[in-house]
Amino acid sequence: MEHIPATRKRWARIKRNRYIYLMMSAGVIYFFLFKFLPIWGLLLSFQDYTPFKGFLGSNWVGLKHFSNLFHSEQFYVMARNTFFISIFNLVFYFPVPIILALLLNEVRHEVFKKINQSIVYLPHFLSWVIIVSFTFFVFSSDAGIINKWIVASGGQPVLFLSNPKFFWILLTLQNIWKDAGWGTIIFLAAIAGVDPSRYEAAVIDGASRWRQIYHITLPAIRPTIIILLILRFGNMADVGFEQVLLMMNPLVNSVADVFDTYSYMQGIVGGKISVGVAVGMFKGVVGLILVVTSNFIVKKLGYEGIY
C-alpha cells in the first residue's frame, strides 16, 4: 500500500473543505485585523505617547499612568458608577430576555408569534442617538409626555433627566427596551433544541404549562444562561460609552462619569492617548479576572463553565 505523505493529506483535506474555509476566512480576517493586530497598541499605556514623536520616539514611563489612575480622586467615583450601572443591568436587564423567550415560546399562533418577535427585535437596530431622543421625548421636564400628564393632573414636573437618583434607572430601562428582544434569540434557539417527546411525556403525566417550563424548559437552557451570565460578568467594566455620553449632563455627572467617558475625555478630547489606552487595559484586566473568577465559582457549584 502506497504511503501518502502527511502534507499531501493535509492539502487534500483543505481542498475538499475549501468552501468551508472560504466562508470562515471573512471572520478570521476580521478578528485578525480588528481584535488581534491592535493588541500591540496596549504598549502605548506604558509611554507618554505623542503622534508627533511616534511610537519609537515617545518616552517610556512604566506604570505611571496606572498609578495616576488609581490615585486619582475620580477613580472611586468611576468605579462606583460603573459597578452600580452593571449591577442594575445584571439584576434587572439580564432576566428579561429569558422571561421574554419563555413567553414567546408559549405562543402557539405562528403568525402572531412572528409579528411579536419582529416588534421586540426592532429597537436593537436603532442607534443610541434615537433611543436617547425617545427618552428626552418621554421624560424631559418641559416637553416630556409623562411630565405633561403630571402637570395636567395638577402636579409639579419631575426632573427625571437632571436628577441623579433617576440616572441609573433610565439607563437600565433603555437597555431593556433596546436589547431585551434581541437577547431572546439565543434563548429561543436553546429552547428549540429541547426534545419534544419530553413535553409529550409531561402532558401525559398531567403537568401544567408552568410545570413544563420549570422542570423541562429552564433546565434545558440552564447551560446557555450560565455561559451568558459569565460573559456578562466579564463585561461589567464596560457599561456602554455612547449611551452614557449622550445621557450625561452637568447635573448628573456625579453618577454618570465612568471609565469609558474618562478614557474619552482624557484620550480623545484631552489628547492624552496613553492615559486612554491605560484605562482600556485596566478594564480588560478587570474583565478577565471577573470571567475567570465567575467561571471558577460556577464549576465549584457543579455546573459546566465556558472552558
Side-chain angles (χ1 to χ4, degrees):
M1 184 176 179
E2 184 183 356
H3 175 71
I4 302 175
T7 305
R8 286 182 59 185
K9 288 183 179 179
R10 188 179 302 112
W11 281 109
R13 186 169 62 252
I14 293 174
K15 184 177 180 180
R16 185 171 60 252
N17 300 317
R18 59 187 180 277
Y19 295 114
I20 296 176
Y21 289 118
L22 183 62
M23 289 188 292
M24 290 174 54
S25 62
V28 172
I29 293 172
Y30 167 79
F31 277 98
F32 178 77
L33 291 178
F34 299 103
K35 301 296 181 180
F36 179 77
L37 200 60
I39 289 177
W40 76 271
L42 294 177
L43 294 174
L44 299 181
S45 62
F46 303 104
Q47 290 185 321
D48 266 333
Y49 176 78
T50 59
F52 303 103
K53 294 182 179 180
F55 177 76
L56 297 177
S58 299
N59 297 324
W60 293 89
V61 295
L63 300 176
K64 170 187 172 183
H65 299 307
F66 295 96
S67 177
N68 292 340
L69 174 64
F70 298 145
H71 290 90
S72 170
E73 295 180 358
Q74 293 175 277
F75 181 78
Y76 167 76
V77 175
M78 293 185 296
R80 181 203 63 188
N81 295 343
T82 302
F83 175 77
F84 277 104
I85 291 173
S86 297
I87 289 296
F88 269 60
N89 284 324
L90 183 65
V91 174
F92 299 105
Y93 164 75
F94 185 78
V96 175
I98 303 173
I99 297 171
L100 191 56
L102 294 173
L103 293 176
L104 287 172
N105 185 61
E106 294 302 310
V107 177
R108 292 294 173 258
H109 195 288
E110 287 299 322
V111 175
F112 181 72
K113 180 178 180 179
K114 290 180 179 180
I115 291 174
N116 277 276
Q117 284 179 298
S118 299
I119 292 173
V120 297
Y121 292 167
L122 181 61
H124 173 78
F125 299 99
L126 301 178
S127 70
W128 276 115
V129 174
I130 297 176
I131 299 296
V132 172
S133 298
F134 282 162
T135 305
F136 276 83
F137 179 71
V138 175
F139 291 102
S140 64
S141 58
D142 50 354
I145 296 175
I146 294 180
N147 272 311
K148 283 185 176 181
W149 178 80
I150 292 174
V151 171
S153 302
Q156 295 295 322
V158 180
L159 304 178
F160 293 107
L161 301 177
S162 56
N163 190 333
K165 295 181 180 179
F166 296 113
F167 186 78
W168 296 340
I169 298 174
L170 290 176
L171 292 185
T172 307
L173 291 176
Q174 287 177 337
N175 285 325
I176 291 174
W177 186 68
K178 187 177 190 297
D179 286 328
W182 186 253
T184 62
I185 293 177
I186 296 177
F187 297 111
L188 286 172
I191 292 172
V194 181
D195 188 355
S197 63
R198 300 179 64 182
Y199 293 107
E200 295 172 1
V203 171
I204 294 174
D205 291 338
S208 64
R209 295 302 303 176
W210 288 110
R211 287 199 170 274
Q212 292 177 44
I213 292 173
Y214 185 77
H215 293 287
I216 299 176
T217 309
L218 281 177
I221 66 174
R222 184 183 297 135
T224 304
I225 295 174
I226 291 173
I227 290 174
L228 292 179
L229 183 61
I230 293 173
L231 295 177
R232 170 66 63 174
F233 275 111
N235 288 325
M236 286 194 71
D238 187 2
V239 294
F241 160 72
E242 187 178 356
Q243 177 192 14
V244 176
L245 184 67
L246 291 171
M247 288 291 293
M248 285 180 70
N249 63 70
L251 297 177
V252 298
N253 279 349
S254 60
V255 295
D257 199 12
V258 295
F259 290 115
D260 290 316
T261 56
Y262 180 80
S263 177
Y264 169 74
M265 295 303 296
Q266 293 290 322
I268 304 300
V269 178
K272 300 177 182 178
I273 298 176
S274 293
V275 176
V277 176
V279 174
M281 187 173 180
F282 167 73
K283 286 173 48 186
V285 172
V286 171
L288 176 62
I289 293 173
L290 289 173
V291 166
V292 173
T293 304
S294 57
N295 186 71
F296 175 79
I297 294 173
V298 164
K299 285 191 171 183
K300 283 295 183 181
L301 293 175
Y303 299 107
E304 186 176 352
I306 59 177
Y307 61 87

